[in-house]
Amino acid sequence: MKDASFGIYIPSYKRAKTCITHKWLDNYRYVVRKSEETDYIAAGIPPENILAVQDDKINGMVKVNQWLIDNAEEEIICILDDDIRRMVYRLDKAVDIPGPETATAELERIAQVMIDLRIGFGAVDATVTPWNYDMEFAFRGCSGAIRWINRPVFKAKCVEALEYNYDLDVILQELLKNRIILKPKYICAMDVADKTEGGASDKSRKDQIASVELMKAKWGKYFGYNFRNNKPTINVRR
């Protein structure tokens, strides 16, 4: 990339033996709690590909994302879930991206577009269904397993009180303050069902509902949530 530094980060917790996203990438760094660093090394992740941070600084998904936004060395960063089993081009059907070199180049390509257009936040779609593909790029919507932060332009803050919907809150903040986000719809990530240790499968329905109600109170008509299918909507025209 030209004129800007770029870093790829994979936050992970209690998944030393099950994290798989790195298999799709040429370069990356797992972001782990200091107390688990040796577990990831023992599982085969090279020490130079591990960023171990004091436990209380990143003890939660919201905190680890904000820590990276505040402390990463690079100007633009890409943050990926740690359980991505496929990275695909979404055409008439999902077609695997051919190997780590191409996958990494696609992440760099989106980062460069964001730099050129001075966009603060980017994310892939939350679903890989072919019928959701209607354009190469969109400029609003929900986020999936890969996200980009253009740190000099990004204006949002990750809010711990909105833990289960913090990414949607970030998107709405960016739409308010920077007007658009970038959503490359032609690439997607397919991750494993969130039932492994370290995931969010233990969140209670009560906590989920409370987080949704906080979002509704904060954003009003611009945020919606269908509890029947657990699908949020961002009601902002762009």
Side-chain angles (χ1 to χ4, degrees):
M1 293 183 59
K2 296 180 179 178
D3 303 324
S5 52
F6 176 61
I8 298 173
Y9 293 94
I10 311 169
S12 188
Y13 171 58
K14 288 187 176 180
R15 286 179 170 173
K17 295 180 180 179
T18 58
C19 59
I20 53 176
T21 300
H22 61 283
K23 297 177 181 179
W24 284 96
L25 300 169
D26 260 352
N27 58 77
Y28 62 89
R29 295 185 79 184
Y30 273 99
V31 185
V32 306
R33 302 182 192 188
K34 188 68 178 176
S35 61
E36 296 183 2
E37 181 178 12
T38 55
D39 296 337
Y40 283 81
I41 294 173
I45 305 298
E48 62 270 21
N49 291 103
I50 296 174
L51 175 59
V53 181
Q54 184 178 321
D55 286 28
D56 63 347
K57 300 289 186 184
I58 59 168
N59 59 345
M61 187 53 67
V62 180
K63 289 179 74 172
V64 70
N65 275 269
Q66 189 62 53
W67 189 92
L68 282 169
I69 293 165
D70 293 338
N71 297 284
E73 297 175 355
E74 299 85 2
E75 293 170 82
I76 185 163
I77 58 176
C78 184
I79 304 173
L80 298 88
D81 290 356
D82 65 354
D83 57 352
I84 294 174
R85 59 185 174 87
R86 292 179 66 194
M87 290 180 65
V88 302
Y89 290 119
R90 181 164 58 179
L91 306 172
D92 293 332
K93 58 182 180 180
V95 177
D96 282 344
I97 293 177
E101 183 178 356
T102 303
T104 303
E106 289 289 1
L107 301 185
E108 292 173 348
R109 176 194 180 205
I110 302 306
Q112 188 64 63
V113 170
M114 291 176 61
I115 291 168
D116 292 344
L117 298 180
R118 292 189 55 79
I119 296 174
F121 182 82
V124 298
D125 211 348
T127 175
V128 300
T129 51
W131 53 85
N132 270 17
Y133 180 79
D134 53 1
M135 62 188 74
E136 186 176 9
F137 294 98
F139 301 95
R140 65 179 181 90
C142 301
S143 68
I146 305 174
R147 302 161 296 280
W148 292 260
I149 307 288
N150 186 0
R151 296 175 63 233
V153 181
F154 185 76
K155 295 179 181 177
K157 289 286 185 182
C158 301
V159 179
E160 283 191 71
L162 298 169
E163 179 179 4
Y164 301 123
N165 292 287
Y166 82 91
D167 54 336
L168 301 173
D169 181 62
V170 162
I171 289 169
L172 283 162
Q173 288 183 60
E174 282 296 297
L175 290 174
L176 175 65
K177 297 174 182 178
N178 276 328
R179 307 305 299 161
I180 61 172
I181 64 168
L182 186 68
K183 280 196 63 176
K185 301 188 75 172
Y186 69 96
I187 59 172
C188 289
M190 301 173 67
D191 50 13
V192 178
D194 196 5
K195 296 180 180 179
T196 57
E197 189 174 16
S201 55
D202 61 345
K203 65 185 179 185
S204 72
R205 186 67 167 173
K206 181 180 178 181
D207 290 341
Q208 183 184 17
I209 292 172
S211 181
V212 169
E213 293 304 323
L214 283 172
M215 285 288 291
K216 288 181 177 179
K218 181 175 182 178
W219 294 107
K221 66 180 181 180
Y222 300 110
F223 173 79
Y225 199 94
N226 186 332
F227 283 104
R228 287 178 296 177
N229 56 19
N230 287 325
K231 288 187 177 180
T233 53
I234 289 178
N235 305 312
V236 178
R237 292 186 178 184
R238 286 291 180 267

